[in-house]
């Protein structure tokens, strides 16, 4: 019975059988799906599978049979397939074939890897790096190296890339960018049977021979193209046997270290019986250091005859023969360079490389310029008055150069040099020449003779000599001259003349315009190159490079000055300096000095430098406080605000003394109007915002501060103030108002007026101008009597003052007045205020309403006694004061609780706070209605370090718990765990746990629990 499930399975099987396999990516490498390349090859199933190999060395033989795949590495030198010691033969056609990478009956694309034979072919003959048997594909950026063997029978056979095509299938092989070296017999050897075409494309790449008889490329029966290949150090560069291949743009070079190049050839082409007819095209190739560059041979075969040979546009550089042909047909060899301007030698008409056989060479190239100057154009200027030229030979003469005699000429009116300025090159074959002689023939004419000697091998290319030229001071601006080498003689190792060294003149241009390398304007009054102002002194410094300076000017018109000349400057080498005093009219902003230079040829240059002028005074000083002290006066002020001009440097003070201590008759003197008025307290320029002025004798001092900027501008008069330099009531001058000396003296003089016996004017310290105990005494106001005003001032200072200065009026306390219940109002100090000593809370109650005032929890925690009293007859008029010298209200929390006789919608209140010096403090007071719901606010600041404030709201009085937790839920600190009244509450956390230890930086949670209300928020502590 066929079930629904079995039917589905059958349909699925049919579907799979009808669908071709999709290409896959098979990764190879440590930790990948496959740890060996061969394992991935064996697993490849579908056409087009890609094996991707990670960087590393894989010591294994890789064999691909009857598959179509891509094998890609991570780059040549990065992914390496290395030959193991033991190899298995890829195939046997009468002899075993051992390959590191073997491809048979396959189409394989190799890319971005190295095949290393490691010289491991001793037991394997023949030995191959990559071997194709009836296979095709491509090699992209593949390196092959170390394919060598030393078999026991002495027959060496090591080939980098080999291919054998002997079935009936046509194939192709593309090789691009290959690097093949250290291959014993041949780098590339590709062969095909007569009836099985193999099309080969060799593009780019580098082939280096391993042995003296090595072959670069051997193609047998193949078609295709060789393009841009570089072959060096091979006995035969390209060997084409029965292979109609186009050879284009290749470079073939023999062993340059050998003088004897017997038997070497660049391109050898011969027909082969049984193979396709030959039609050779060799175009644009360069052959160097070979016995024969191109060899064409006819074997006389009936099949495989020559159809034509085209060898055009080639360069034959130092070869025994450029073209050696035994063909019956004439070779087309036009537009070739034969090493001489008059064409080929031998069977040809000229003195260049020999031509053997029949060829049409006309026209030959005559545009080769191989004695060149570097740089081709030398530029000299006043800033760079000297430079060097290297004369180089780029190759192409009719033989190796062993010596030469060359003249160099130029215009001596433009540049100068002598024979002493000519030298051997810094590197290359002529750098250590045994014989090097230079001669001065005439001005602008030097002869250079060089000979290598009999031991050193001659040169195909290289630097010949170098010369240094200097700008001629009298040269016209933009003058030019050719630097022309002329070849007198070139010789080979037999002292025979050579041809084909063709000069390409260089050029030299001089720019004699003066060079002003630098101009700097400096305000010498300030010692600044950035700022200046009217009335200051300047220096202008210029660095001028000019060998024939005619005039030099410095234009100071922008500074209210003249145009100074060269004669006005002091000179130190190339540095010129002018000075100018009393600048004027510079205004505000950038002003510049312009320096212009001109040489004797009327070439000119100019360069300016800017400096910023500031002639606007800064804003007046603000926030000045002047407070008394014992033999000193304390000054404090707001930091001045910078303006758009020069930076501010600080504040200077001037003062006026009242005089007449202790009587102080007449009005208090005015503050000094400017720095030229009053007296100098010798404090200098103060960059801070506070200073203590130590001053004697006793007096009242009126001080004014002035802001000064960097340029010296001074602000107008701003804030001023006055103070004594002693404590009022300090009769004996010890800095303390005490009972033993000062109160005794007051008692002895109390009730006395001036002129009466016992009157002591030192005790006459009141009243003060502002009624405070630290104010300015005004004894004239009560007729110079010692009475109650003097008693109050002295009493307030009793045990309150000392030699050290007291605090100035401090910061405002943060107070909160809020209704917590319909009949309850609470005054809270939100955060500690170190200056708070007492306060007064007053409010108008409606008719018939009374109130009860009680001390809050904070007052019960004080270390000093606290006075709390409400004057009930005035409704709400509560006074609070900390008692005793130096006492303050410490901490934060509830100060007063006010309960009214009936509910009130509102109870406006006035607050007055005082510090320890009886100065009134500003108050920062907030009010709030009862919150309608619970709430937990985000802490502020957040992030914080080290303290933050957390606020929560309670609509009714209830037990509340506020705690801090770490991110893992661990309890860190309990901040609140008590009954709190209705209202808004603020709690501070200082970043410490319940044990008082500072916690680590990071994230924390804080949670509030009040009745059924619970809320959690996150905060961050930074350190």
């Amino acid at each position: 019975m066929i079930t629904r499930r079995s039917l589905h399975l059958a349909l699925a099987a049919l579907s799979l059988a009808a669908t071709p396999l999709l290409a896959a990516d098979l990764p190879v490498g440590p930790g990948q799906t496959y740890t060996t390349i061969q394992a991935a090859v064996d697993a490849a199933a579908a056409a087009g599978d890609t094996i991707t190999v990670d960087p590393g060395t894989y010591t294994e033989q890789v064999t691909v049979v009857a598959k179509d795949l891509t094998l890609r590495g991570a780059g040549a030198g990065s992914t390496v397939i290395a030959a193991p010691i033991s190899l298995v033969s890829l195939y046997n056609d009468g002899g075993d074939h051992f390959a590191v990478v073997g491809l048979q009956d396959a189409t394989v694309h190799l890319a971005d890897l190295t095949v290393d034979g490691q010289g491991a072919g001793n037991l394997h003959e023949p030995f191959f790096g990559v071997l194709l048997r009836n296979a095709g594909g491509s090699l992209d950026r593949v390196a092959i190296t170390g394919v060598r063997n030393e078999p026991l029978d002495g027959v060496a056979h090591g080939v980098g890339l080999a291919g054998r095509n002997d079935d009936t299938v046509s194939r192709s092989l593309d090789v691009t960018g290959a690097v093949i070296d250290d291959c014993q017999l041949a780098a590339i050897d590709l062969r095909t049977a007569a009836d099985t075409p193999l099309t080969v494309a060799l593009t780019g790449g580098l082939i280096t021979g391993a042995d003296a008889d090595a072959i670069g490329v051997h193609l047998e029966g193949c078609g295709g193209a060789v393009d841009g290949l570089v072959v060096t150090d091979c006995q035969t560069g390209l060997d084409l046997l029965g292979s109609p291949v186009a050879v284009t743009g290749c470079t073939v070079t023999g062993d340059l270290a050998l003088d004897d190049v017997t038997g070497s050839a660049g391109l050898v082409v011969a027909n082969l019986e049984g193979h396709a007819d030959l039609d050779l095209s060799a175009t644009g190739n360069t052959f160097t250091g070979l016995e024969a560059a191109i060899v064409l041979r006819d074997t006389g075969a009936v099949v495989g005859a020559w159809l034509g040979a085209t060898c055009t546009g080639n360069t034959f550089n130092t070869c025994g023969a450029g073209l050696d042909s035994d063909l019956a047909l004439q070779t087309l060899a036009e537009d070739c360079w034969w090493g001489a301007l008059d064409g080929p030698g031998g069977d040809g008409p000229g003195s260049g490389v020999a031509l053997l056989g029949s060829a049409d060479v006309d026209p030959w190239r005559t545009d080769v310029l191989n004695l060149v100057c570097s740089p081709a154009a030398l530029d000299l200027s006043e800033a760079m008055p000297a430079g060097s030229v290297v004369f180089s030979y780029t190759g192409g003469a009719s033989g190796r150069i062993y010596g030469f005699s060359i003249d160099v000429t130029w215009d001596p009116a433009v540049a100068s040099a002598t024979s002493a300025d000519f030298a051997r090159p810094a590197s290359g074959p002529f750098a250590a020449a045994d014989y090097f002689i230079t001669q001065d023939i005439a001005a602008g004419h030097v002869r250079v003779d060089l000979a290598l000697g009999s031991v050193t091998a001659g040169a195909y290319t290289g630097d010949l000599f170098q010369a240094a030229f200097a700008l001629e001071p009298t040269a016209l601006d933009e003058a030019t001259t050719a630097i022309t080498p002329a070849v007198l003689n070139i010789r080979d190792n037999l002292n025979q003349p050579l041809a084909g060294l063709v000069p390409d003149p260089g050029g030299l241009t001089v720019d004699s315009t003066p060079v002003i390398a630098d101009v700097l304007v400096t305000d010498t009054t300030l010692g600044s190159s950035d700022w200046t102002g009217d009335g200051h002194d300047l220096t202008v410094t210029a660095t001028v490079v000019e060998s024939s300076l005619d005039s030099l000017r410095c234009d100071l018109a922008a500074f209210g000055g003249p145009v100074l000349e060269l004669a006005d400057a002091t000179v130190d080498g190339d540095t010129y300096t002018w000075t100018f005093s009393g600048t004027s009219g510079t205004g505000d902003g950038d002003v510049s000095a312009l320096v212009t230079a001109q040489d004797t040829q009327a070439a000119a240059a100019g360069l300016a430098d800017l400096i910023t002028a500031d002639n606007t005074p800064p804003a007046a000083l603000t926030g000045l406080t002047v407070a008394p002290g014992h033999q000193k006066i304390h000054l404090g002020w707001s930091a001045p605000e910078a303006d758009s001009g020069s930076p501010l440097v600080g504040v200077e003070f001037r003062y006026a003394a009242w005089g007449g201590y202790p009587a102080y008759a007449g009005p208090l003197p005015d503050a000094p109007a400017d720095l030229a008025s009053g007296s100098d307290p010798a404090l200098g320029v103060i960059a801070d915002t506070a200073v203590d002025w130590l001053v004697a004798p006793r007096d009242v001092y009126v001080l004014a501060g002035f802001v000064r900027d960097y340029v010296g501008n001074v602000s107008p008069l701003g804030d001023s103030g006055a103070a004594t330099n002693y404590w009022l009531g300090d009769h004996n001058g010890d800095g303390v108002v005490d009972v033993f000396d000062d109160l005794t003296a007051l008692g002895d003089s109390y009730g006395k007026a001036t002129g009466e016996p016992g009157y002591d004017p030192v005790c006459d310290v009141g009243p003060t101008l502002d009624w405070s105990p630290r104010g300015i005494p005004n004894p004239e106001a009560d007729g110079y009597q010692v009475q109650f005003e003097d008693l109050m001032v002295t009493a307030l200072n009793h045990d309150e003052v000392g030699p050290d200065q007291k605090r100035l009026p401090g910061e405002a306390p943060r107070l909160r007045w809020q209704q917590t219940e319909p009949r309850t109002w609470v005054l809270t100090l939100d955060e500690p205020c170190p200056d708070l000593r007492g306060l007064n809370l007053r409010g108008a109650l409606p008719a018939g309403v009374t109130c009860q005032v009680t001390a809050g929890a904070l007052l019960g925690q004080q270390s000093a006694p606290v006075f709390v009293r409400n004057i009930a007859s005035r409704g709400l008029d509560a006074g609070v004061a900390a008692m005793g010298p130096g006492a303050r209200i410490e901490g934060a929390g509830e100060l007063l609780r006010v309960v009214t006789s009936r509910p009130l919608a509102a109870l406006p209140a006035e607050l007055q706070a005082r510090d320890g010096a009886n100065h009134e403090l500003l108050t920062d007071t907030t009010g709030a209605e009862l919150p309608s719901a619970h709430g937990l606010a985000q802490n502020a600041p957040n992030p914080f370090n080290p303290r933050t404030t957390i606020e929560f709201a309670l609509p009714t009085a209830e037990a509340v718990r506020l705690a801090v937790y770490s991110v893992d839920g661990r309890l860190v600190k309990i901040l609140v765990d008590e009954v709190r009244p209705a209202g808004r509450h603020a709690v501070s956390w200082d970043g410490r746990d319940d044990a008082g230890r500072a916690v680590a930086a990071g994230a924390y949670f804080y949670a509030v629990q009040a009745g059924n209300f619970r809320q959690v928020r996150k905060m961050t502590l930074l350190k």
Side-chain angles (χ1 to χ4, degrees), residues 441-503:
I441 305 303
H445 186 175
V446 170
R447 179 166 298 163
V448 179
D449 295 331
L450 179 145
L452 289 176
S454 59
V455 177
T456 306
Y460 290 96
T461 60
D463 295 342
L464 301 178
F465 56 92
Q466 58 185 331
F469 293 90
L471 178 146
E472 177 58 42
T474 59
L476 295 175
D477 189 36
E478 301 299 327
T480 62
T481 181
I483 303 176
T484 305
V487 179
L488 304 180
N489 287 289
I490 53 172
R491 301 291 175 85
D492 64 10
N493 59 335
L494 300 178
N495 201 29
Q496 296 300 306
L498 297 175
L501 187 58
V502 184

Side-chain angles (χ1 to χ4, degrees), residues 131-438:
L131 175 60
L132 295 84
R133 172 66 183 274
N134 296 333
S138 65
L139 279 76
D140 291 335
R141 301 170 301 281
V142 172
I144 304 174
T145 187
V147 185
R148 309 176 60 87
N149 68 334
E150 301 292 343
L152 298 177
D153 59 6
V155 178
H157 189 135
V159 179
L161 170 62
R164 302 292 184 270
N165 210 36
D166 54 15
D167 62 9
T168 59
V169 178
S170 298
R171 293 180 174 85
S172 64
L173 178 64
D174 293 339
V175 181
T176 304
V179 177
I180 306 177
D181 66 351
D182 197 23
C183 297
Q184 198 167 25
L185 183 63
I188 298 177
D189 186 344
L190 302 173
R191 307 182 185 195
T192 183
D195 56 352
T196 309
L198 176 61
T199 303
V200 177
L202 304 180
T203 305
L206 173 63
I207 292 175
T208 304
D211 293 339
D213 57 352
I215 298 174
V217 177
H218 174 77
L219 301 181
E220 187 172 316
C222 302
V226 180
D227 187 8
L229 192 64
V230 176
V231 183
T232 64
D233 293 339
C234 292
Q235 184 74 0
T236 301
L238 304 173
D239 184 20
L240 309 182
L241 183 58
S243 297
V245 173
V247 181
T248 306
C250 295
T251 299
V252 183
T253 304
D255 189 342
L256 300 184
L258 300 176
D259 264 341
D260 185 1
V261 295
T262 301
S264 63
L267 171 62
V268 177
V269 185
N271 60 338
L272 181 63
E273 185 174 359
H275 283 268
D277 294 337
L278 287 183
D279 189 358
L280 173 69
S281 172
T283 305
N285 306 288
T286 298
F287 302 92
T288 301
L290 301 159
E291 182 179 22
I294 299 177
V295 177
L296 307 179
R297 292 291 182 260
D298 188 350
T299 63
V302 176
V303 180
W306 276 91
L307 299 179
T310 301
C311 301
T312 59
N314 301 292
T315 296
F316 307 120
N317 179 15
T318 318
C319 296
L323 175 63
D324 181 355
S325 173
D326 67 356
L327 304 184
L329 56 86
Q330 187 181 57
T331 304
L332 181 62
E334 297 175 344
D335 198 32
C336 291
W337 170 253
W338 297 88
L341 295 176
D342 55 358
D347 292 343
S351 57
V353 176
L355 168 63
L356 305 175
S358 176
D360 181 2
V361 300
D362 188 18
W364 55 80
R365 288 185 60 191
T366 60
D367 59 347
V368 173
L369 302 172
N370 54 12
L371 172 52
V372 297
C373 297
S374 180
L378 179 63
D379 294 325
L380 302 181
S381 67
E382 294 289 351
M384 191 177 69
S388 295
V389 169
V390 177
F391 297 83
S392 301
Y393 166 50
T394 61
S398 60
R400 284 193 178 192
I401 297 177
Y402 278 78
F404 57 80
S405 179
I406 298 175
D407 277 3
V408 180
T409 56
W410 68 94
D411 186 349
V414 176
S416 61
T418 67
S419 60
D421 297 312
F422 285 69
R424 295 177 178 85
S427 61
F430 298 103
D434 293 334
Y435 305 97
F436 183 81
I437 299 173
T438 61

Side-chain angles (χ1 to χ4, degrees), residues 900-917:
T900 60
S901 57
R902 63 178 173 82
L904 297 178
L907 179 53
E910 295 181 0
L911 277 167
Q912 188 178 62
R914 299 290 178 90
D915 67 3

Side-chain angles (χ1 to χ4, degrees), residues 863-887:
S863 59
V866 179
F867 175 87
V868 179
R869 182 168 297 174
N870 183 55
I871 303 175
S873 61
R874 299 182 183 176
L876 175 59
D877 189 352
V880 178
M883 306 297 291

Side-chain angles (χ1 to χ4, degrees), residues 579-727:
T579 61
F580 175 66
S581 299
T583 58
S584 63
T586 56
D588 287 344
D590 292 338
V591 288
S592 63
L594 174 64
V595 175
T596 55
Q598 182 171 299
D599 64 13
T600 56
Q601 304 299 321
L607 185 66
D609 184 46
L610 298 174
I611 192 169
T612 304
D614 178 13
N615 292 292
T616 300
L621 185 68
T622 61
L624 178 65
T625 59
V626 183
H630 175 59
Q631 298 179 353
K632 62 184 176 183
I633 292 176
H634 180 79
L635 303 169
W637 57 92
S638 301
E641 292 189 7
D643 56 23
S644 59
S646 61
L648 303 180
V649 296
V651 176
E652 290 187 64
F653 286 91
R654 292 295 184 268
Y655 74 90
W658 196 350
Y661 166 82
Y664 300 124
L668 188 69
D670 293 333
D674 50 44
L675 288 179
S677 305
S679 301
D680 186 354
L683 295 172
V685 180
I686 306 165
D688 207 343
T689 56
V691 69
D692 283 338
W693 177 33
L694 305 180
V695 57
R698 288 189 172 196
D699 207 334
V700 174
Y701 296 90
V702 183
L703 291 109
F706 303 90
V707 183
R708 181 186 290 274
D709 65 20
Y710 180 73
V711 172
N713 301 305
V714 179
S715 71
L717 175 64
D719 289 351
S720 61
T724 62
N725 62 333
Y726 59 95
W727 300 119

Side-chain angles (χ1 to χ4, degrees), residues 8 22 203 245 461 485 525 671 698 704 850 877 923 947:
H8 284 173
L22 299 177
T203 305
V245 173
T461 60
T525 302
R698 288 189 172 196
T850 61
D877 189 352
T923 57
R947 183 179 296 277

